[in-house]
């Protein structure tokens, strides 16, 4: 059994078929210049957010389907991550936790392991301009599987970003929306499991 197949098996074994959601914000540290190295320049913060059962189930499905796809040996191969190398789309690139991913190591080794200490989102307006990514997490037989997806600013739709509207089929008309909306696609960029990062989308990392 390959490591990706093991991850998929763990995901399939999740009893309630639900996933947790976290947001990650990113800000430039005080005193840092724009030319500073990315690993040193940014400050990352993980936030919890309350989600209902339907969202938890949908997030689980995203993880299940995506990992099922990349665990297919006929579609993807796994190799060590290199900054300069083969960018073939059907390769999953791996990083050991001991290598240079200090920002992510803090997220998975400190923040997520102490989730009860994290601040919770109460208003998207408070973090909308700084949202950098979101994390989907499941637990199975004592093991945690995390998937990170970078988030484009256009995915976070709150009132101050322009005129927000919604279409009401019943009225067949467009109305002003005062709701705070956020869009999730069905992709993931990085999987973290058993001290190893699996980079699905090298373009984003």
């Amino acid at each position: 059994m390959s490591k990706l197949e093991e991850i998929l098996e763990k995901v399939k074994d999740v009893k309630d078929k639900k996933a947790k959601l976290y947001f990650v914000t990113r800000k430039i540290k005080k005193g840092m210049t724009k030319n500073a190295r990315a690993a040193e320049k940014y400050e990352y913060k993980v936030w919890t957010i309350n989600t209902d059962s339907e969202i938890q189930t949908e997030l689980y499905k995203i993880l299940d389907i995506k990992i099922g796809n990349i665990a297919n040996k006929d579609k993807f191969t796994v190799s060590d991550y290199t900054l300069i190398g083969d960018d073939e789309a059907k390769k999953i690139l791996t990083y050991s936790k001991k290598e240079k991913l200090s920002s992510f190591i803090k997220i998975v080794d400190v923040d997520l392991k102490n989730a009860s200490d994290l601040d919770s989102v109460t208003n998207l307006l408070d973090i909308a301009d700084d949202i950098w990514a979101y994390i989907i997490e499941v637990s199975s037989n004592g093991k945690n599987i995390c998937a990170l997806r970078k988030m484009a600013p256009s995915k976070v739709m709150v009132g101050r970003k322009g005129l927000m509207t919604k279409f009401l089929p019943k009225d067949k008309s467009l109305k002003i929306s005062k709701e705070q909306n956020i869009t999730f696609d069905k992709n993931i960029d990085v999987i973290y499991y058993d001290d190893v990062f699996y980079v699905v989308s090298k373009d984003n990392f």
Side-chain angles (χ1 to χ4, degrees):
M1 179 186 293
S2 71
K3 204 65 178 178
L4 288 172
E5 288 173 325
E6 180 183 332
I7 295 172
L8 178 60
E9 185 178 78
K10 292 290 184 185
V11 171
K12 294 287 188 187
D13 285 344
V14 172
K15 292 181 180 179
D16 59 3
K17 309 301 181 189
K18 298 182 187 300
K20 295 178 182 178
L21 176 68
Y22 303 89
F23 285 119
V24 181
T25 54
R26 186 178 76 169
K27 291 183 178 180
I28 296 178
K29 295 178 182 177
K30 291 182 179 179
M32 285 289 175
T33 65
K34 291 184 178 181
N35 296 326
R37 293 175 55 194
E40 301 170 350
K41 179 167 60 174
Y42 294 109
E43 178 180 39
Y44 297 88
K45 180 174 179 177
V46 182
W47 301 74
T48 62
I49 188 164
N50 292 327
T51 53
D52 65 17
S53 180
E54 184 177 8
I55 291 176
Q56 293 166 18
T57 299
E58 290 301 315
L59 292 172
Y60 169 83
K61 288 178 181 177
I62 291 173
L63 200 59
D64 181 28
I65 292 170
K66 190 63 179 181
I67 293 178
N69 185 33
I70 64 176
N72 187 325
K73 291 180 181 178
D74 295 330
K75 293 183 178 180
F76 291 90
T77 57
V78 177
S79 62
D80 292 338
Y81 187 101
T82 56
L83 290 176
I84 301 175
D86 189 353
D87 287 333
E88 184 182 342
K90 293 186 177 181
K91 278 193 174 180
I92 306 301
L93 305 169
T94 62
Y95 255 132
S96 166
K97 193 177 71 173
K98 296 179 177 138
E99 295 170 356
K100 297 179 180 179
L101 273 176
S102 57
S103 299
F104 296 120
I105 290 172
K106 179 183 179 298
I107 288 172
V108 297
D109 265 4
V110 179
D111 298 327
L112 295 185
K113 286 184 179 179
N114 298 278
S116 61
D117 296 330
L118 298 175
D119 290 332
S120 182
V121 176
T122 56
N123 189 330
L124 274 179
L125 285 170
D126 295 338
I127 65 170
D129 292 338
D130 300 315
I131 292 179
W132 175 74
Y134 60 88
I135 295 171
I136 301 171
E137 181 188 50
V138 295
S139 298
S140 175
N141 300 320
K143 293 278 190 177
N144 288 350
I145 301 101
C146 301
L148 183 142
R149 175 65 170 166
K150 287 184 74 172
M151 177 167 279
S154 60
K155 300 287 186 181
V156 185
M157 296 168 284
V158 294
R160 71 181 182 194
K161 288 185 176 288
L163 178 63
M164 297 298 301
T165 64
K166 60 182 176 181
F167 186 77
L168 303 179
K170 183 179 179 181
D171 298 334
K172 298 180 181 179
S173 63
L174 202 63
K175 302 288 186 181
I176 294 290
S177 174
K178 295 182 180 180
E179 298 171 352
Q180 298 179 9
N181 300 308
I182 193 160
T183 302
F184 300 91
D185 59 27
K186 295 185 178 181
N187 290 309
I188 55 178
D189 294 322
V190 177
I191 301 165
Y192 177 74
Y193 172 74
D194 209 14
D195 290 348
V196 176
F197 296 94
Y198 298 84
V199 180
V200 181
S201 175
K202 187 177 180 181
D203 289 343
N204 285 336
F205 293 91

